Amino acid sequence: MLNLECQVDILINNQEVLAQNYAEIHDPGKLTDVVGRVAVGTAEDVDKAVQAAHNAFLDWRKTNSKERIEKITAAVKVVQDSMGDLVPLLVREHGGMLWEAQTDFGIGMATLEYYAGIGENFVKTEFIEDDSSWVSIEKKAKGVIGAIVPWNMPVCLTMMKVGPALVTGNTMVIKPSPTAPLAISILLKRIAAILPDGVINVVHGDAGVGVALTRHPLVKKIAFTGGTETGAQVNSNAASFFKAVTLELGGNDPAIILDDVNPADIIPKLLKGVYTRSGQICFAVKRIYVQEKMLDKFFNTMCDIVNEYKVGHGLAEGASFGPLNNNKQYNLVKAMIENTKNSGAVVRELGSKLNPEGWDNGYFLLPHVVKDEDHLSQIVSCEQFGPIIPIIPYKTVEQAIEYANETEYGLCSSVWSSDIQRALAIGQQIEAGSTFINNHSFESLSLGMPFGGVKNSGMGRELAGEPTLSAYIDYHTMRYLK
C-alpha cells in the first residue's frame, strides 16, 4: 500500500513544489509493494532551483564561517535523529540490508562532522610576507554546486558533497537517483529547514534533469558519483561551460592474494568486500587473483563459506544480503552469469533462498563464485555490480600485478599477505586511487584519506581535507609591493 508520508516533491527555497508527474518507487525485494512516490522534474524545475540557489549564495557566502559550521553541526544531529524512520525506508527502496543502511547514515554523519571540524581553519585567508611584498590568498566559494548521487549509498555519498560545499560557502542543487530518492530527499528537506532558504534544493528526474543541471550556466561545479559512461557525459557537459568537476566513477577492484596466507583465515574478511550490497558498490572486490598452486584450495574454501549465505529481504532476520536494486541491473547480471557458464569457466551457484515463496517477487540472485583461467574474460574485465566474483590464478607476483593493472578502471584494490612490508611493496605498483592491505570494505575507509580513482574511475578526491575542500573554492590572490 502507498505510504503517502513517502511522497517526495521538488524542493526549492525550502518549499515543496508540486510536480505534474510522479513515479512510483517499488521495493526491489517485494516488487508488489509501492514504497512511495517521487516527483518527476523538468529542465524548468532545474532552472528555478538553480536560480534559488544562486540568490541564496549571495548571502550565504558572506555568512560568518563559524555560523556556517554551527549549521552543519546541527545537520549532524538531524541525520542522527532521522535514522529511526528513514533507515527502514531506505532499505525498502534500495534493497540493501538494515545494517548497510545504518552504515550509510553513520558515514554520512561522520562526514558532516569531519568537515565541520576542519572547515573554519581551511577558509581563513592566508598571508605571506617578505621584505619586498605581502600576499593575501583568499578562498572564495564558487557559487551553485550541482550534485548528482546514486542509489546504492545515497546518504553518505550526498553528505560527501554537502559537507565541503556548505562549509566553504556554496549553495546546492541536488539530484538524487530515480531508484532510491525517498529517504535522502526527506533527509535533505529536514536539513534544508535549518538552513537559509535556497541553500539546499532538490530536483528529481531522469537523465534530462541531469543534463539541464550540468549545463546550467549558473552552476559552477558538478560533483557526481555514478557509472563511468554517465560520468563521461557529465564531464563533457560541464566542460562546455568550463565547470569544475569531481567524478567518482565505476571500478573493477582487484584483490591480490599472496601465497603466504591461509585461505580460511582471510576469506571471511575478504567477503565483506565482495557481497555487501549484493556486490553493488563501486569499490567492491570484483576480481580475486590467487597463486596457482593454492587456487583449488582457495576456491573450495570460499565456496564452502559462501554456501552458508542466505539471500532475502533487507529487513528479514537472517538474510546475508538482499536483492539487486533494479530490473536493468538484474537482467544484466543474469545474462553475465549465463555467458560465464557458456565460456567454460567453473561457475558455482551457492547459498540458499531465505524466503523461496517470495523469490520471484524481487530482484533476488544467489551468490556465484567463478574459477576462471582466462584473465581477460568478460566476467573478469567488467564491473559486475552483482553477487558474482571471479577467481583467477597467477604464476608470479609480477604477473598478478600486471593482471591487476590490465584494466580501464583504477578505483581501489587490495593486497593480502602475512608479510605487511611485502604487501606494501606490491601495493605501490598497483594503478588505483587506493590500495588496502588485508582489508577491502567499508572499514577500509577513513575520514581524511583521499577517496577517488584514476584512469576511467574518475577525477578528484572526496573524504579528504584540503584536496576536497580546494575543489569547492576559487583562490583569489592579492599582492602588494612595498
Side-chain angles (χ1 to χ4, degrees), residues 57 61 68 122-125 137-143 145 165 168-170 469-478:
F57 167 69
R61 65 179 175 179
R68 291 201 300 262
F122 173 81
V123 298
K124 289 179 179 177
T125 299
I137 305 172
E138 294 179 274
K139 298 163 185 174
K140 293 190 172 183
K142 285 183 173 293
I145 307 298
T168 50
N170 300 282
L469 291 170
S470 295
Y472 287 83
I473 57 98
D474 288 319
Y475 288 94
H476 180 216
T477 303
M478 292 188 293

Side-chain angles (χ1 to χ4, degrees), residues 180-203:
L182 301 173
I184 184 60
S185 296
I186 294 171
L187 179 62
L188 288 169
K189 179 184 175 183
R190 293 173 183 176
I191 293 174
I194 66 172
L195 296 166
D197 290 353
V199 171
I200 285 183
N201 308 271
V202 180
V203 182

Side-chain angles (χ1 to χ4, degrees), residues 5 26 36 66-67 76 91 109 111 130 150 175 214 234 237 241 260 290 294 305 326 342 390 396 428:
E5 292 182 356
H26 291 255
K66 288 185 178 180
E67 184 177 341
V76 176
V91 171
M109 288 168 50
T111 300
D130 57 27
K175 179 191 176 300
T214 56
V234 168
N237 289 336
F241 294 87
D260 58 5
V290 177
M294 62 186 293
I305 296 173
N326 58 76
N342 295 332
T396 65
Q428 289 174 338

Side-chain angles (χ1 to χ4, degrees), residues 50 104 252 273 299 321 336 389 410 423 427:
V50 173
D104 189 10
N252 186 18
F299 176 74
F321 63 82
M336 191 183 304
I389 183 71

Side-chain angles (χ1 to χ4, degrees), residues 425-437:
I426 293 169
Q428 289 174 338
Q429 301 175 65
I430 298 177
E431 297 165 357
S434 299
T435 298
F436 312 121
I437 306 300

